[in-house]
Amino acid sequence: MSARRIFAGPARLAAIAPYLWMALFFLVPFGFVLKISLSQTAVAQPPYLPVFDFTQGLAAIKAAFAALSLDNYRLLVSDNLYVLSYLRSLVVAAVSTAILLLIGYPIAYGMARLPQRWQGIAMMLVIVPFWTSFLIRIYAWINILQHDGLLNQILLALHVVSAPVVWLSTDSAMYLGIVYSYLPFMILPLYATLAKMDPALTEAANDLGASPQATFWLVTFPLSLPGVGAGALLCFIPILGEFVIPDLLAGSDSMMIGQTLWLEFFTNKDWPVAAAVAVVLLVLLVVPLALYDRLQRRQLEAGR
Amino acid sequence: MTARPFRRISRFNVTSLALGLVFLYLPIVILVIYSFNASRLVTVWGGWSLRWYSEFFNDRAMLDAAWMSFKVAAVSATLATLLGTLAAVALSRGERFKGRTLFSGMLYAPLVMPEVITGLSLLLLFVALNAERGFWTVTIAHTTLTMCFVTVVVQSRLGKLDRSLEEAAMDLGCDPLRAFVSVTLPLILPSIVAGWMLAFTLSLDDVVIASFTTGPGSATLPIRIYSEVRLGVKPQINAICTLVLGLITVVIVAASVATKLTSARGESAAPL
């Protein structure tokens, strides 16, 4: 028996504590979300019915099960508010991901072209904003974009505009905030694939007479597709459920689904509808999450 | 013919990289500068001053929130580091085991899961368990989220480690536990430290999950900042944000020094 196999046994035991923790605090809660999404809103504490009471015997539990209904889901389908929120989230997530790719790719490409000793520093510079508070970075933009903020002051001083432009509470501000916050998530996986690429490949294409453009589109870009996929998923999935950025930067006339969920939960105190909104959002995310899980697994376990 | 023409960095490469970095940093720099503005009007420069900092240090409610956040971040980062390191060891050294796919799925999904879902589902669990909401519920929620980041950071380090070192230790008579503690652990320690610091800063930053899982009287700093920001820009918030940024910068520098100490250049720098 090799040493590697001997190690595997105790290493498996290490899984027990994190396994139980994630099962209890990540998996089980989805069961409660599902159950409450089938409940009725009530003026009570907690604000939903039925409440399962396992001390009341089997009949009471049966009655509680019978009281569950799909009413909240019917509401989601019939009320335009929800359908429009989901659609808006999908559009915002798709458009933002496309913009992020357009901006992030040249930056990652530039990083991969730097001399070796500069690459580590460039990478550090991209990672630092990822670590710094995301709320603070959004707030920094409010400073700049507000009515008498720096941007309008500069534009007025340069006589580009004659009156202050409304930037805050617009879709442009929201897209700016999203792109700004998620840029490191796009750059890092792209850089990781681009930096690993063998320069001999582009050299070969060049020797065979390909123009720089042709080399890029026929060699570099296709080889970087795994990075493109990883970056796109890392951005698309969380943006779909984004709450803080649209809440602070976008106008109030149309909402993303994260805002709708927040409103139902905190303002309307309608927990069952909020839970149903979450379940449908999860269903929308099943395919991208599965893709992301596969990518993550392949990437992390390649070294095994 | 010139050697390696495509390896050379073009003007386009340099320009896009420079513009990208300016875009990432300029807003933060402006925020920091304005936090030292003496004027009450955020947009009018009234000379340098520390006035907003002293106002923060006299604001009882804000200080309480900051202390609360600090406690939550320290405790949850520590728990997350313990659990996340165990998970990383199981994933990279445990070979195959029952439920492994579910295990790794549960650890990778929270990295991208929209926070509103994580927050709502944890709150519903706490309500069902009749748990009193406050410090511990927020701490548990943050541990759940951040241990996944720790797992990824430590697992990527373990994946790059030379397995023959552990095998040599065991061939020389160490039992697996001893081999792990005396050979593997020192080698992955920088990534464990980096994981703790990442968990700490993520916890310090979170507003959505904390809003769902906190109770009355135990608002964290981001929750307070968030409710102030919704009402508009205030110079005092600039000062608080600058202080938080300063704290995080110290943590990052410490983390990168810790990682540089033993690991090879660049490899441990990717947080994802």
Side-chain angles (χ1 to χ4, degrees):
Chain A
M1 202 165 163
S2 74
R4 183 172 288 214
R5 297 288 297 277
I6 298 172
F7 211 93
R12 278 197 282 265
L13 293 181
I16 295 173
Y19 210 122
L20 290 177
W21 183 284
M22 288 315 282
L24 177 58
F25 294 117
F26 186 68
L27 212 55
V28 170
F30 289 130
F32 286 99
V33 176
L34 193 62
K35 185 245 144 185
I36 286 157
S37 75
L38 299 169
S39 304
Q40 308 292 322
T41 313
V43 186
Q45 194 56 259
Y48 50 82
L49 277 173
V51 178
F52 282 81
D53 186 348
F54 292 101
T55 56
Q56 296 292 304
L58 205 62
I61 293 172
K62 258 192 193 153
F65 259 107
L68 296 178
S69 81
L70 287 170
D71 284 356
N72 298 316
Y73 292 94
R74 287 194 197 103
L75 176 71
L76 291 199
V77 183
S78 60
D79 192 329
N80 253 343
L81 169 77
Y82 305 103
V83 180
L84 289 176
S85 289
Y86 282 114
L87 284 177
R88 174 165 163 90
S89 295
L90 284 168
V91 170
V92 169
V95 172
S96 312
T97 307
I99 300 173
L100 278 160
L101 196 57
L102 280 176
I103 297 178
Y105 203 104
I107 299 175
Y109 196 53
M111 280 169 68
R113 285 296 153 103
L114 284 175
Q116 276 293 335
R117 67 201 146 90
W118 289 98
Q119 288 194 13
I121 296 170
M123 179 131 127
M124 195 67 206
L125 285 173
V126 172
I127 289 173
V128 168
F130 164 81
W131 282 55
T132 50
S133 172
F134 136 93
L135 180 60
I136 291 176
R137 288 186 293 138
I138 293 301
Y139 174 68
W141 274 109
I142 299 181
N143 260 319
I144 296 171
L145 296 177
Q146 62 181 323
H147 181 75
D148 44 5
L150 203 63
L151 182 61
N152 273 336
Q153 288 184 25
I154 292 172
L155 291 179
L156 286 170
L158 295 174
H159 298 288
V160 179
V161 293
S162 51
V165 181
V166 178
W167 299 105
L168 277 184
S169 304
T170 63
D171 275 7
S172 334
M174 175 190 66
Y175 279 114
L176 180 69
I178 293 177
V179 168
Y180 183 68
S181 302
Y182 284 90
L183 196 55
F185 290 90
M186 182 58 91
I187 293 177
L188 290 175
L190 281 174
Y191 164 75
T193 40
L194 286 168
K196 263 188 294 188
M197 210 172 283
D198 187 351
L201 292 169
T202 45
E203 252 170 70
N206 179 52
D207 289 348
L208 293 170
S211 67
Q213 280 82 7
T215 308
F216 177 80
W217 289 111
L218 292 174
V219 180
T220 312
F221 187 72
L223 284 172
S224 69
L225 281 177
V228 172
L233 287 171
L234 267 177
C235 296
F236 182 85
I237 302 173
I239 293 174
L240 198 64
E242 187 55 61
F243 164 74
V244 174
I245 303 175
D247 187 56
L248 290 178
L249 294 178
S252 52
D253 45 336
S254 55
M255 287 195 290
M256 285 178 71
I257 199 64
Q259 295 170 276
T260 309
L261 192 157
W262 188 278
L263 185 80
E264 291 295 354
F265 186 86
F266 285 104
T267 314
N268 299 345
K269 305 266 187 255
D270 194 337
W271 293 17
V273 168
V277 168
V279 170
V280 175
L281 179 56
L282 259 181
V283 170
L284 283 180
L285 285 174
V286 162
V287 174
L289 271 175
L291 281 174
Y292 161 79
D293 182 58
R294 242 182 58 186
L295 264 171
Q296 183 81 1
R297 207 178 302 243
R298 199 179 302 166
Q299 187 203 330
L300 274 174
E301 304 191 352
R304 274 159 44 90
Chain B
M1 177 172 161
T2 52
R4 305 192 156 222
F6 286 96
R7 204 50 196 172
R8 198 170 298 153
I9 185 158
S10 68
R11 193 169 296 166
F12 174 73
N13 291 151
V14 177
T15 316
S16 47
L17 185 55
L19 283 178
L21 290 176
V22 168
F23 176 60
L24 282 176
Y25 282 91
L26 194 62
I28 302 177
V29 172
I30 292 170
L31 173 83
V32 171
I33 293 174
Y34 270 93
S35 78
F36 295 104
N37 186 2
S39 165
R40 177 167 289 282
L41 295 163
V42 187
T43 48
V44 182
W45 184 253
W48 297 91
S49 151
L50 288 174
R51 171 180 170 191
W52 308 114
Y53 289 87
S54 69
E55 210 156 278
F56 164 65
F57 284 108
N58 290 317
D59 184 337
R60 194 72 232 161
M62 272 294 176
L63 283 177
D64 284 346
W67 178 233
M68 173 79 180
S69 274
F70 186 81
K71 281 190 296 184
V72 168
V75 176
S76 69
T78 308
L79 281 172
T81 305
L82 279 171
L83 291 164
T85 305
L86 285 173
V89 169
L91 280 175
S92 71
R93 294 294 187 265
E95 311 288 330
R96 304 250 129 239
F97 57 87
K98 259 209 179 102
R100 191 200 152 90
T101 312
L102 175 67
F103 187 49
S104 62
M106 282 193 299
L107 287 164
Y108 300 151
L111 300 174
V112 286
M113 184 68 75
E115 287 171 320
V116 284
I117 296 184
T118 317
L120 177 70
S121 61
L122 272 164
L123 170 79
L124 296 181
L125 174 81
F126 292 141
V127 169
L129 294 177
N130 233 334
E132 193 194 333
R133 275 175 275 154
F135 171 79
W136 280 108
T137 47
V138 181
T139 303
I140 288 173
H142 281 181
T143 306
T144 310
L145 174 73
T146 56
M147 69 178 271
C148 305
F149 286 86
V150 177
T151 304
V152 170
V153 171
V154 176
Q155 194 189 351
S156 92
R157 179 82 190 114
L158 274 167
K160 284 170 188 134
L161 219 59
D162 189 354
R163 300 284 303 261
S164 54
L165 293 170
E166 290 159 7
E167 287 167 17
M170 280 191 275
D171 286 343
L172 293 170
C174 281
D175 58 67
L177 187 65
R178 179 108 184 269
F180 179 78
V181 170
S182 53
V183 176
T184 318
L185 201 56
L187 288 170
I188 61 170
L189 198 59
S191 67
I192 295 177
V193 173
W196 187 91
M197 288 173 175
L198 183 59
F200 183 86
T201 58
L202 284 169
S203 166
L204 210 58
D205 183 26
D206 166 68
V207 51
V208 173
I209 293 176
S211 296
F212 276 101
T213 51
T214 192
S218 46
T220 60
L221 188 61
I223 295 180
R224 286 235 164 246
I225 295 179
Y226 180 69
S227 56
E228 294 280 330
V229 169
R230 284 186 96 164
L231 303 174
V233 174
K234 290 197 188 95
Q236 197 205 342
I237 298 292
N238 285 357
I240 297 171
C241 289
T242 304
L243 287 173
V244 174
L245 285 175
L247 177 66
I248 291 173
T249 309
V250 169
V251 169
I252 298 170
V253 170
S256 67
V257 168
T259 344
K260 279 248 165 66
L261 283 179
T262 46
S263 72
R265 173 181 41 80
E267 64 175 324
S268 56
L272 288 171

